[in-house]
Structures are given as C-alpha cells and as structure tokens.
Amino acid sequence: MTSTTTDGEKAAPVRSAKRALVGRLSWGLADQAASSISNFAVGIYVARSLGVTAFGVFSLAWVTYGVVLNVSRGLATDPLVVRFSGVPEPSWRGAVARSTGTALCVGTALGVLCLAAGLGLGGRVGPAFAALGLMMPGLLLQDAWRFSFFAAGDGRKAFVNDIVWGVALIPAMVVAAHVDTVAAFVLAWGASATVAAGYGCIQSGIRPRMTQARGWLREQRDLGYRYLVENVSLSGASQLRAYGLGVIVGVSAVGAVRGAELLLGPFLAVLMGLSLVTVPEAARVLRQAPHRLGRFCLYLGGGQATGALLWGSALLLMPDRLGELALGDVWRSSSHLIVQITLSVAGAGLGTGAAAGLRALGAARRSLRCQLFASACYVGGGLGGAAIGGTSGSAWGVAAATISGSAVWWLQLRSALRERHREPIPEVRTS
C-alpha cells in the first residue's frame, strides 16, 4: 500500500512552529512587563516624591547602570544567546555556568569602581552612585538569568524570576520610603534584584562559575569584544548625552527627558521584551528557513515602529490632569518632549529588526559599524541640539540621529544577506 501525505499533515508542523514562536514571544513580553513594572514604580515614586532635580540624580545613576549592564551583556550573555540558543541541554548548562560567572565578575569589578566614584563625589550624586556600586553584582546576575532562560526557549522561568523581583521590591520600597533619599531607592531596587538573582540559581540548578570567566571570554572573543564595544557605545552615548545635557542646560533637563521616556514606559516594555527573544528567534529562522530572515526582521522592526507612533499619539491626547497624576511636577517639563521622544523610540524600534538579523548572521563587524555610527549621531545630535535649543533641541537632535541610525542598520543588513549566499552560515556552538 502506498502512503500519502495530505496538505493538512504538511501544514501541521508549520502551525506548530508558529504556535511555538508566538508562545516564546508572549513569554518575552510578559517577562519584560514584569521587569518594567518594578523599574517604572521606582521611577514614578522618585519623580513624584523628590522633584525634578532629585529625579535627575536618579536618572544619572540609571544611565550609568545601563552602561555597566551593556558591558555584561556584550561579554557574557550576547554570545550565549547567539551561539547557545536551542542547543542540547548539557551544552547550554555548561555555557550558562560560565556566562553567569562572567556577569558576576563584571558586576563585582565595575561595582567597586562605581562605589569608589560615589564616595569621592559626595554631595547629592555621590550616595546614589555608591549605592549602585554595592548592588551591581546582583543586578547583573539577575539580568544574565533572564537571557539564559530565553536562550533555552524557556521564557516562563525568566517571567517568574522577574515576578520574584517585583514581590521583593515591595517591602524594600516601604523601607526606602521612610529614608526618602535617592540612594535609599537605588538600594531597594538593587537588593530586590539580588533576591531574584539568588532565586535564578535555584530555578536553573546552576551555580555561576566566576573562575571560568576568563575561559569564556577567550572562547567568545570573536563576538564578545565586538559586542562589548557595540553595547557600550550605545549606553555610553546615552550617558554622555545625559551628562552633557546636565552641564549645558541643568540637571533638571535630565529629569525632564527621563520623565518623557517614562511616559513611553509601557511601550518600551514591549520593545525590550521583544528584544529578549528576537535574536534567538532570528537565529532559529536562519537555521530553519534562511530565506525568510529578511522578511522576519522587516515585520519585527516595522511593527515596533508602528506601535511606538500609535502610543505616542495616544500620549498627545492625554489630559494634563492624568500626566500630573503620574509624574507630578515633572509632567510640566516632560509633556513638551512627547513628539520628539516618540520619534526616537519609533526609529529605534525600526532599527532593532535589522540589528536582530545582523546578530543572527554573526555579522559582528557590520553591527559594530552600525552602532558606532548611530552612537556618534546620538551624542552629536543630543548635545548639539542642547547647545542650540536647550532641552527641546536636544530631544529633536536625538530623534533625527535615531532615524538616521536605523537607515544604516537596514542598509548593512541588506548587504549582509546578499553576502550570505557566498559565505557559510556562522557556526552554532554545541559545546
């Protein structure tokens, strides 16, 4: 008897793959929502309770954390996601032990530097930086667990870990509210993340191996150091812009910009949630259906840009009463920046689609060139605009820079896809 395969049987694996993709994306969004709620709660409380200047101090500590976080991701978790997504569990466990150990080493080393800088600065800024330095190892380890779980395709564990962080944050915030300083809230935020980092060890059954960090860096040096420069140029540009804006216009201007970014917080949560899974998913598309990678990246970037524009349009219609309820006095300064910040986020969202494609292709040189160009434009536009037009001019400069950078990302992805037909597919590590 001759067996035949029906169209329905052929379509079943396709439907199953699509359901699996939707499931992984959904866990990414849920995880980022949980993570962003805790960050959003801290930011809103500081903005409402301590005023725009104190919120500016908090924002300076925040962007500094962003730089250190991107150092850790470039050296530890970005290579993990590119090379150990969807591999056999023994390979994943060994890589995660080394990767999380590297994240702990980065957090310890740079946390000491941040603590020393905070003790030397003194004043209003110093205590916040010192508190950040103390909490840095736990913050980076918690983030490393999230990326590790998504590399394994198990976003549910990352979501649960962030829920633990949020629950631990509640009593920590109560204590911080009695102290009522920026440093107290930084400590509360970091201490609760450290609790979640410890729980990540229980979830995974893996102990971070700090002694194997040097071996990990050596093994991943072809990607890690390029991703390090790429990531640090991104967050470093944000930090330079924040510091420069504080010098040119004033610390209150930093708080106004951060307040406008908080208004886009729910959408940024979606964008960042997708970023947790876009590179692993793009890597899977490359291995399973490489001809669909360009279309996948286009849908990804276009969808995020459209969502940002819709969210920003809704914010423009929001009554002042609701804005003041959310941000207090910060609303007056931040509400005038909604259009510029929306365009910036839309440009960034469009570019992330191309960035995911370049990461999946292992085109580290191309992605590095893109990020250096985008970061230079970001700093130049942000500070040049501040010198010309103050806080608003800085926001317009950043919007123009972000859109220009997105165009360069897409040009480089198109070139990389063309070259792929003449080059072998990048190696996917299994050991």
Side-chain angles (χ1 to χ4, degrees):
M1 180 180 295
T2 302
S3 62
T4 59
T5 302
T6 66
D7 291 340
E9 290 172 333
K10 293 179 180 178
V14 175
R15 289 195 297 267
S16 178
K18 288 182 178 179
R19 284 195 297 269
L21 171 61
V22 171
R24 290 190 294 267
L25 291 175
S26 298
W27 280 120
L29 294 176
D31 169 73
Q32 188 58 49
S35 175
S36 296
I37 285 173
S38 59
N39 296 337
F40 185 77
V42 174
I44 288 295
Y45 190 91
V46 174
R48 285 181 53 83
S49 301
L50 303 181
V52 67
T53 301
F55 191 57
V57 173
F58 179 82
S59 300
L60 291 176
W62 181 272
V63 297
T64 302
Y65 159 71
V67 173
V68 178
L69 179 65
N70 279 297
V71 171
S72 176
R73 288 179 177 177
L75 294 176
T77 53
D78 283 346
L80 175 77
V81 168
V82 170
R83 285 182 165 153
F84 293 91
S85 291
V87 301
E89 185 177 356
S91 299
W92 174 81
R93 293 181 67 85
V96 168
R98 289 173 286 158
S99 176
T100 53
T102 303
L104 264 181
C105 287
V106 172
T108 301
L110 297 185
V112 169
L113 292 178
C114 192
L115 174 61
L119 295 176
L121 284 171
R124 303 185 67 174
V125 176
F129 275 71
L132 180 63
L134 290 172
M135 296 294 101
M136 199 68 76
L139 285 163
L140 297 192
L141 180 58
Q142 194 276 337
D143 184 76
W145 286 127
R146 296 171 68 203
F147 279 82
S148 299
F149 293 139
F150 278 109
D154 195 355
R156 180 183 61 84
K157 286 186 177 179
F159 171 74
V160 171
N161 192 274
D162 274 319
I163 290 295
V164 170
W165 184 0
V167 171
L169 182 63
I170 296 173
M173 287 279 285
V174 171
V175 175
H178 289 289
V179 181
D180 207 29
T181 64
V182 176
F185 286 102
V186 172
L187 287 172
W189 169 60
S192 53
T194 302
V195 172
Y199 182 64
C201 297
I202 299 173
Q203 285 179 290
S204 63
I206 299 172
R207 187 176 66 181
R209 302 286 185 178
M210 296 180 68
T211 57
Q212 296 183 15
R214 180 176 298 179
W216 174 262
L217 295 175
R218 184 171 57 253
E219 294 169 11
Q220 310 301 328
R221 62 182 179 274
D222 57 328
L223 292 183
Y225 292 118
R226 287 195 178 98
Y227 288 158
L228 169 64
V229 176
E230 182 180 329
N231 290 355
V232 171
S233 69
L234 171 64
S235 54
S238 177
Q239 189 176 29
L240 287 174
R241 186 259 184 131
Y243 289 167
L245 185 61
V247 171
I248 296 171
V249 183
V251 175
S252 60
V254 181
V257 170
R258 176 61 183 157
E261 292 172 348
L262 274 177
L263 293 173
L264 274 88
F267 179 77
L268 289 173
V270 172
L271 192 153
M272 289 186 290
L274 288 174
S275 72
L276 290 169
V277 293
T278 50
V279 176
E281 291 306 323
R284 288 185 176 94
V285 171
L286 180 63
R287 291 197 294 272
Q288 298 169 5
H291 61 284
R292 296 180 181 174
L293 180 60
R295 187 184 306 171
F296 173 83
C297 294
L298 181 60
Y299 288 158
L300 176 66
Q304 290 180 101
T306 301
L309 293 175
L310 291 174
W311 185 266
S313 299
L315 288 176
L316 290 173
L317 301 176
M318 187 170 68
D320 289 341
R321 182 177 64 259
L322 292 179
E324 292 173 355
L325 181 63
L327 296 180
D329 292 340
V330 178
W331 166 255
R332 299 175 186 175
S333 303
S334 299
S335 60
H336 302 293
L337 306 176
I338 292 175
V339 172
Q340 301 96 305
I341 299 297
T342 298
L343 291 175
S344 297
V345 174
L350 183 61
T352 56
L358 287 175
R359 286 284 176 95
L361 289 165
R365 290 184 179 181
R366 287 187 178 276
S367 62
L368 175 58
R369 287 198 294 266
C370 290
Q371 192 56 67
L372 290 176
F373 173 82
S375 297
C377 289
Y378 185 94
V379 174
L383 298 186
I388 296 172
T391 308
S392 179
S394 179
W396 278 116
V398 166
T402 305
I403 294 171
S404 299
S406 178
V408 172
W409 278 106
W410 278 102
L411 289 172
Q412 288 293 321
L413 177 61
R414 186 178 66 174
S415 298
L417 288 173
R418 288 176 177 175
E419 287 183 358
R420 180 187 171 276
H421 297 291
R422 303 189 298 271
E423 298 176 357
I425 298 175
E427 174 193 8
V428 178
R429 299 286 177 85
T430 59
S431 62

